[in-house]
Amino acid sequence: KGGALFLSVVLFVAPIIVYQIGTNALGWDAVDAGRNIGVGFTAVTTVLWVSTYIFRVATKDMTYAKQLKDYENAVIAKRLEELDEDEIQALVEDIERDDF
């Protein structure tokens, strides 16, 4: 809530600040500073974006994985609703026997 706005402002302002510091305080050439900051900014943001995607894949925190898990849970719940009380009791006893 507001994180996207904050990140957008930071990603907009950060290269400008680096450019101003580089050209004024460090004496870089304006054209070279702009080119190098542009390339560096693009490379860093691309690596960060790819790392977040890889993290989401590794933790299965993706839309498809969540939808699949929700579907599987709904199917199991529906099958459980369709079972008779005797079948449910038999499953519970089978699970308890397997746990010990």
Side-chain angles (χ1 to χ4, degrees):
K1 320 298 189 227
L5 182 61
F6 174 75
L7 184 62
S8 298
V9 170
V10 168
L11 292 177
F12 179 75
V13 173
I16 295 171
I17 292 172
V18 172
Y19 177 81
Q20 291 299 327
I21 292 172
T23 55
N24 294 334
L26 302 176
W28 295 345
D29 179 49
V31 173
D32 288 338
R35 181 177 49 240
N36 293 335
I37 291 170
V39 169
F41 180 76
T42 303
V44 167
T45 55
T46 301
V47 167
L48 290 175
W49 177 77
V50 169
S51 67
T52 63
Y53 182 76
I54 290 172
F55 178 76
R56 284 183 27 229
V57 169
T59 59
K60 294 188 179 183
D61 189 25
M62 301 173 304
T63 303
Y64 173 74
K66 288 180 180 179
Q67 289 174 342
L68 182 61
K69 185 69 176 165
D70 291 343
Y71 173 75
E72 290 171 348
N73 289 339
V75 168
I76 290 171
K78 182 67 175 172
R79 287 183 181 170
L80 186 61
E81 288 175 6
E82 294 172 352
L83 291 177
D84 294 332
E85 194 63 38
D86 297 339
E87 293 172 320
I88 293 174
Q89 187 62 30
L91 281 174
V92 169
E93 290 172 2
D94 191 34
I95 291 171
E96 288 175 351
R97 195 173 45 243
D98 288 343
D99 284 344
F100 296 109

